[in-house]
Amino acid sequence: MKYKMIALDLDGTLTNSKKEISAHTRDVLIDIQRKGAVVVLATGRPINGALAISRELELDVYGGYILSFNGGIIQNCRTNEIIYQQKIPAEYIPRLGAASRRFQVPIVTYQGDYILTEDTTDKYVRLEAGINKMEIRELNDFSEEVHFPVTKCLMVGDGWYLEQILPEMRKEFGKILNIFRSEPYFMEITPLGVDKAFGLARLLEHTGIQREELICCGDGFNDISMIQFAGLGVAMENAQNDVKAVADIITDTNDDDGVAHVVEKYMKNR
């Protein structure tokens, strides 16, 4: 099988523990793009949080894609065209804000270069801002000030607590929104039916590439759908056990060029 596209989660997959791409992995990914392969950054981050990495990998030169917000937006890096977008309707925002206050966990969303939240000091909010290299804008009332459709909201908190409230959130919102954890301390809220597999299916329709020609690499809970969807689903050695359980193969860790090893074995001789 000749694989024509590779979709990569960022944190814990493409980037190492320092949130950097190794020189070797970068060179390998640029090389396969020169040979015609398509690289996709498939991430829970907003587009602005993935732009620097897309430029480092020269996706703007070779026509790669950013699939952000776990499939809520897909952008062509060469043309900046948004080829797909789905949003949470504005009328759901007050209910999400009320749930945030009821469960006493911060909720954030995104607008342009900013992360919007009522709680600017929370350590997990600051972690999200640091990962995406975005500024935090403080809101007085999330429910009132976020009066527009958004592509994703994020509730943050200690993993043990988010695990407790996840069933309650799904009971309240499961018929209208997609609720899942990407990291133990992040609970993602996206439009119903949207996940990385859903976004990649839209992208394959756009490009004409077949599902069997797609490799997906990931390490977190939000990568399970695309790993199951791919022609070749790859879990990192550092992945959650649930992720490894659904993968076709397990590669090395994100600190040991696991992505590069997959590319070298399955795509270099295309």
Side-chain angles (χ1 to χ4, degrees):
M1 170 61 66
K2 288 187 176 180
Y3 295 102
K4 298 180 179 179
M5 177 182 286
I6 185 165
L8 303 168
D9 172 59
L10 300 188
D11 303 300
T13 301
L14 176 61
T15 63
N16 59 26
S17 298
K18 297 179 181 178
K19 303 293 184 185
E20 298 171 345
I21 304 173
S22 75
H24 178 57
T25 295
R26 181 177 63 248
D27 291 346
V28 165
L29 289 170
I30 290 174
D31 181 60
I32 61 164
Q33 289 180 95
R34 289 195 188 107
K35 296 175 180 176
V38 179
V39 174
V40 182
L41 304 182
T43 178
R45 296 187 191 188
I47 285 177
N48 286 23
L51 279 177
I53 290 176
S54 74
R55 290 168 184 150
E56 184 178 357
L57 295 177
E58 300 185 13
L59 270 60
D60 52 333
V61 175
Y62 295 105
Y65 296 86
I66 297 174
L67 186 152
S68 73
F69 292 131
N70 292 302
I73 300 180
I74 306 171
Q75 183 176 51
N76 182 316
C77 295
R78 178 185 283 154
T79 65
N80 293 324
E81 175 192 6
I82 301 294
I83 65 170
Y84 177 82
Q85 184 169 14
Q86 190 165 334
K87 293 187 176 184
I88 297 171
E91 59 263 30
Y92 295 164
I93 301 298
R95 288 179 60 185
L96 290 171
S100 165
R101 294 196 174 194
R102 186 167 72 253
F103 292 122
Q104 296 185 313
V105 293
I107 185 170
V108 309
T109 194
Y110 312 82
Q111 185 180 36
D113 295 330
Y114 294 95
I115 289 174
L116 309 180
T117 185
E118 295 177 6
D119 192 341
T120 62
T121 62
D122 179 84
K123 64 180 179 180
Y124 297 119
V125 172
R126 290 186 170 274
L127 176 62
E128 173 70 353
I131 289 170
N132 292 292
K133 297 180 173 59
M134 295 172 69
E135 291 186 40
I136 303 172
R137 177 175 287 171
E138 185 174 9
L139 304 177
N140 291 317
D141 190 317
F142 187 91
S143 296
E144 291 186 4
E145 294 174 67
V146 182
H147 48 72
F148 45 85
V150 299
T151 309
K152 185 181 91 167
C153 292
L154 185 71
M155 286 185 177
V156 301
D158 292 334
W160 66 269
Y161 185 61
L162 292 187
E163 185 175 2
Q164 284 188 356
I165 68 173
L166 179 63
E168 297 183 58
M169 284 291 294
R170 283 180 169 164
K171 183 177 180 180
E172 181 173 354
F173 295 102
K175 293 183 179 180
I176 58 174
L177 294 169
N178 199 22
I179 313 284
F180 59 96
R181 289 163 74 201
S182 54
E183 298 287 351
Y185 40 80
F186 287 160
M187 183 162 61
E188 313 261 348
I189 303 163
T190 61
L192 188 65
V194 170
D195 58 21
K196 291 187 180 184
F198 177 90
L200 286 168
R202 305 287 83 72
L203 181 56
L204 292 178
E205 290 176 5
H206 178 78
T207 61
I209 293 172
Q210 301 301 305
R211 177 175 173 179
E212 294 76 19
E213 299 168 321
L214 169 68
I215 297 175
C216 291
C217 302
D219 74 303
F221 298 120
N222 60 331
D223 298 318
I224 289 175
S225 69
M226 73 170 183
I227 288 172
Q228 292 176 311
F229 176 79
L232 182 68
V234 182
M236 310 302 289
E237 178 58 44
N238 54 283
Q240 305 280 350
N241 287 332
D242 289 352
V243 182
K244 291 180 179 179
V246 302
D248 298 309
I249 63 169
I250 297 172
T251 188
D252 292 331
T253 71
N254 61 320
D255 286 324
D256 293 317
D257 288 319
V259 165
H261 295 160
V262 171
V263 173
E264 288 170 329
K265 183 170 183 179
Y266 295 99
M267 300 183 78
K268 286 284 275 187
N269 297 319
R270 45 175 279 105

